[in-house]
Amino acid sequence: MPSYNAPIRDIEFVLHEVLNVTESDVAGYADLEPEFTSAILEEAGKIARDVLAPLNASGDLEGCRLENGVVHTPKGFRQAFAAMKEGGWNGLDIPEEYGGQNLPYVLASAVGEIFVSANMAFNMYQGLTHGAISAILAHGTDAQKTTYVPKMTSLEWTGTMNLTEPHAGTDLGMLRTKAEPQADGSYKITGQKIFISAGDHDMSSNVIHLVLAKAPGGGESTKGISLFIVPKFMVKEDGSLGARNSLSVGKIEEKMGIHGNATCVMNYDGATGYLLGELHKGMRNMFTMMNEARLGVGLQGYAVAEPAYQNAVIYAKERIQGRAVTGVANPDGAADPLIVHPDIRRNLMDQKSFLEGARAFTYWGASLIDAAHRSGDKAADGMISLLTPVLKGFLTDKGFETAINAQQVFGGHGYIEETGMSQFARDARITMIYEGANGVQALDLVGRKLAADGGKPVMAFFEMVKTFIKENEGDEALKAGFLEPLKAASKDLQAAGMYFMQAGMKNPNAALSGSYDFMHLFGHVCLGLMWARSAKAAAAALANGASDKAFYETKLATGRYYMARQLPMTATHLARIQSGAEPVMALPAEAF
């Protein structure tokens, strides 16, 4: 069975040496002292290692089952969920008035990474609940917040998000679920939703569904959509549970991965629902929380690849196969360990350099969300809105690729279920699809986010990179290995943006044909920036005589690898973008 140990040293490096969280003026950041964050991360790591990770493979094998209308989770999940409740983990960043601890989202993200790495399918139950809480806090009435949020924070109740229907995935304007107004102010919700993660289970006493539906008078398309709170069990005035609502689980989907999470078809047969936010503003209300939700999926993309990498390293050091071309490395054995071979090193370095860069990128994104929400920083809000499709799309694409690369280290042993490596690949695959498929993320980035607010966020990003390079150009330790590659990559990104402005105005297909490449080009530049910042922090620590010399030297070597071997991909993506729409659109539909 695969093992997992939380990379706490690297998490702390990002928080305290790259982001310098305690120096930020964002509310709550001054309290994030190393001793405090270390205690939380260490405890999360113990739960991940001792409680969640041991259930990952068994949960994958057993899956969830629907019997007589009741969804049963895999063996051990209920006990693990009780541990999550007891520790108050779901409420880390929830306001204290609702039972949370009101800590910054960046710390909750770090803890979330640890739990996702240990058991992604399990963590989704509280993850979806957190998303539903955020929506209620953003748009609910005081009564709704008081009724639902405390018990969802404590995980006594859980939550879901119901968007997709059999005929309407990304195109939500086509949804058919109806909401009929009632004399008492409630609505009767009728329709079917599919792909509902954590739709039902046996770990909480109630499930609070957030459901998109069309109420009368809203018109067609997405303008007529409203958002409703639809509890599994009705909630009485005193907060106790009443009768079962008119909703049911039609079936549990058979999926490629995340078997331990109950992905349900939900049937609403005149179920009682309550309007959340303004009538006919459901899409706006749901998407208020999209930056947080999509960052969370981007986090899943790399977090599920982290244990795959860890186990690939173990295997590469233990498995003997062939001899090193430069001479015998293991004279007492019949062969040398895999890790002596350059191509295995290349594979592992691809994984390591991506994972550490992705972690820094994600936590930076989380800190921007904190700045926007806690300090009302409009520039930070604009920046995270711009970066959200990159975080979601790039990190999940590369996270899946990293899980596959880890599996490759095992050779044939990675393909059989016994080693557990296939589960990481299967679980990572969904991150590229849900919460907006990655092609849609690319279209959102190019079609909407680049031009948002007159292009101010993307210009601010370019200026940020330019300023960092200029401020550090006198640092010889950074110049050749980090600043020059970053400068070249940033120029490629700017050239791609200029191409879209020139060609895209004449032919929109020219921009949209290059959108996916642009998302990846942007992702590489973001990781390049993170690696340059990380290198600056590591070099400073070494210059100051840090005792953990090996950690910082390893950090610098890993960063140089990314800048030398991965960042040059920006030139390839630019060339593809500049080839325009003709190669993409050349064939008529019937030629496929």
Side-chain angles (χ1 to χ4, degrees):
M1 183 175 68
S3 61
Y4 168 70
N5 287 291
I8 293 173
R9 178 66 182 90
D10 199 59
I11 291 174
E12 292 177 332
F13 170 75
V14 175
L15 291 176
H16 299 295
E17 298 180 69
V18 179
L19 297 179
N20 296 308
V21 289
T22 57
E23 297 176 16
S24 171
D25 58 3
V26 173
Y29 271 46
D31 297 327
L32 299 180
E33 293 291 342
E35 296 79 9
F36 176 67
T37 59
S38 178
I40 292 175
L41 295 170
E42 290 285 352
E43 188 60 31
K46 290 177 184 177
I47 293 174
R49 182 192 64 223
D50 301 336
V51 178
L52 304 185
L55 297 175
N56 197 38
S58 60
D60 177 63
L61 184 63
E62 182 181 344
C64 298
R65 69 185 192 279
L66 176 63
E67 293 181 354
N68 301 317
V70 178
V71 174
H72 299 274
T73 52
K75 183 179 179 181
F77 271 42
R78 293 181 69 177
Q79 292 80 1
F81 204 70
M84 299 301 291
K85 289 182 184 179
E86 184 179 350
W89 292 104
N90 196 50
L92 280 181
D93 61 329
I94 303 298
E96 292 179 73
E97 62 189 294
Y98 300 112
Q101 300 171 51
N102 201 35
L103 294 171
Y105 179 61
V106 69
L107 182 59
S109 296
V111 170
E113 177 195 327
I114 292 171
F115 290 157
V116 169
S117 291
N119 195 322
M120 176 176 163
F122 175 88
N123 193 66
M124 288 172 64
Y125 291 99
Q126 58 263 28
L128 270 295
T129 302
H130 193 283
I133 289 172
S134 296
I136 295 172
L137 287 176
H139 303 293
T141 64
D142 289 341
Q144 287 172 335
K145 294 174 186 177
T146 302
T147 299
Y148 299 107
V149 174
K151 291 190 177 182
M152 295 170 74
T153 298
S154 68
L155 294 177
E156 182 178 342
W157 300 349
T158 56
T160 71
M161 310 289 257
N162 286 236
L163 289 78
T164 307
E165 299 183 6
H167 56 282
T170 300
D171 191 354
L172 290 171
M174 296 172 62
L175 67 79
R176 297 172 185 161
T177 299
K178 298 296 183 183
E180 294 294 333
Q182 304 299 300
D184 64 356
S186 67
Y187 289 77
K188 292 297 182 185
I189 311 298
T190 301
Q192 185 181 78
K193 298 290 186 177
I194 63 171
F195 305 157
I196 309 306
S197 300
D200 199 36
H201 53 85
D202 56 1
M203 299 188 296
S204 68
S205 60
N206 203 6
V207 181
I208 310 303
H209 300 283
L210 300 191
V211 183
L212 287 179
K214 288 187 175 180
E220 296 302 316
S221 77
T222 58
K223 294 180 180 179
I225 295 174
S226 300
L227 183 61
F228 299 90
I229 297 174
V230 187
K232 176 181 175 180
F233 288 99
M234 303 304 295
V235 181
K236 298 178 182 179
E237 288 189 11
D238 64 359
S240 63
L241 298 183
R244 170 85 182 229
N245 208 348
S246 299
L247 58 89
S248 61
V249 178
K251 71 170 184 176
I252 297 176
E253 301 286 5
E254 293 288 337
K255 311 185 297 295
M256 176 180 175
I258 53 170
H259 295 153
N261 194 268
T263 305
C264 300
V265 173
M266 298 299 303
N267 296 320
Y268 296 91
D269 303 303
T272 298
Y274 305 95
L275 182 67
L276 178 60
E278 295 180 59
L279 190 65
H280 309 314
K281 302 293 185 182
M283 288 298 292
R284 186 188 70 181
N285 295 347
M286 181 70 84
F287 280 89
T288 297
M289 309 318 300
M290 278 298 145
N291 287 345
E292 178 185 321
R294 287 176 173 168
L295 181 142
V297 175
L299 181 150
Q300 286 181 328
Y302 79 84
V304 75
E306 170 68 31
Y309 162 72
Q310 289 186 15
N311 285 276
V313 170
I314 293 169
Y315 190 80
K317 289 179 178 179
E318 293 179 350
R319 173 76 168 176
I320 59 171
Q321 201 88 161
R323 289 295 190 188
V325 294
T326 54
V328 174
N330 179 31
D332 297 328
D336 292 331
L338 282 172
I339 203 164
V340 304
H341 303 301
D343 191 60
I344 294 292
R345 292 289 187 93
R346 173 204 58 79
N347 189 337
L348 293 175
M349 287 296 284
D350 281 347
Q351 296 174 53
K352 181 177 174 64
S353 63
F354 164 72
L355 289 166
E356 293 179 15
R359 178 173 297 117
F361 183 24
T362 301
Y363 293 4
W364 175 44
S367 73
L368 290 171
I369 290 177
D370 276 330
H373 291 178
R374 288 172 167 254
S375 300
D377 188 332
K378 292 185 178 180
D381 190 49
M383 184 64 72
I384 189 58
S385 294
L386 169 70
L387 296 176
T388 290
V390 184
L391 281 156
K392 197 281 182 185
F394 181 70
L395 296 190
T396 58
D397 276 355
K398 301 300 285 187
F400 175 68
E401 178 184 309
T402 299
I404 293 294
N405 286 343
Q407 185 184 35
Q408 187 73 14
V409 172
F410 283 71
H413 291 281
Y415 194 67
I416 60 174
E417 294 296 336
E418 182 181 336
T419 61
M421 297 306 290
S422 77
Q423 183 188 350
F424 297 126
R426 289 186 284 104
D427 286 355
R429 184 66 181 89
I430 187 57
T431 64
M432 301 162 69
I433 299 171
Y434 64 12
E435 207 63 59
N438 285 356
V440 176
Q441 302 299 324
L443 295 179
D444 177 48
L445 174 63
V446 171
R448 294 177 59 211
K449 298 302 174 61
L450 286 184
D453 195 17
K456 288 182 181 178
V458 72
M459 295 307 296
F461 179 85
F462 289 138
E463 187 62 30
M464 181 190 307
V465 175
K466 181 180 178 181
T467 299
F468 179 86
I469 293 171
K470 188 173 183 179
E471 288 178 348
N472 295 282
E473 60 188 359
D475 189 335
E476 293 301 323
L478 296 181
K479 189 172 182 179
F482 293 92
L483 300 184
E484 291 177 3
L486 178 60
K487 186 175 183 179
S490 181
K491 285 184 176 179
D492 287 341
L493 184 62
Q494 293 177 64
M498 186 63 67
Y499 175 81
F500 289 152
M501 289 180 62
Q502 294 172 345
M505 295 294 288
K506 301 174 185 177
N507 178 12
N509 281 339
L512 299 184
S513 295
S515 61
Y516 212 93
D517 278 287
F518 186 80
M519 180 177 72
H520 274 247
L521 198 169
F522 209 150
H524 278 298
V525 175
C526 287
L527 259 66
L529 176 60
M530 292 300 100
W531 269 117
R533 289 178 174 176
S534 297
K536 180 179 179 180
L542 287 171
N544 291 328
S547 58
D548 195 359
K549 186 178 178 181
F551 173 85
Y552 295 110
E553 290 177 341
T554 299
K555 182 65 68 176
L556 285 168
T558 306
R560 290 190 193 99
Y561 179 90
Y562 191 89
M563 306 304 273
R565 299 276 303 207
Q566 293 296 326
L567 199 55
M569 281 299 299
T570 59
T572 298
H573 289 302
L574 176 61
R576 290 174 179 171
I577 289 166
Q578 292 176 334
S579 72
E582 187 175 350
V584 176
M585 306 301 291
L587 294 181
E590 58 270 18
F592 284 92

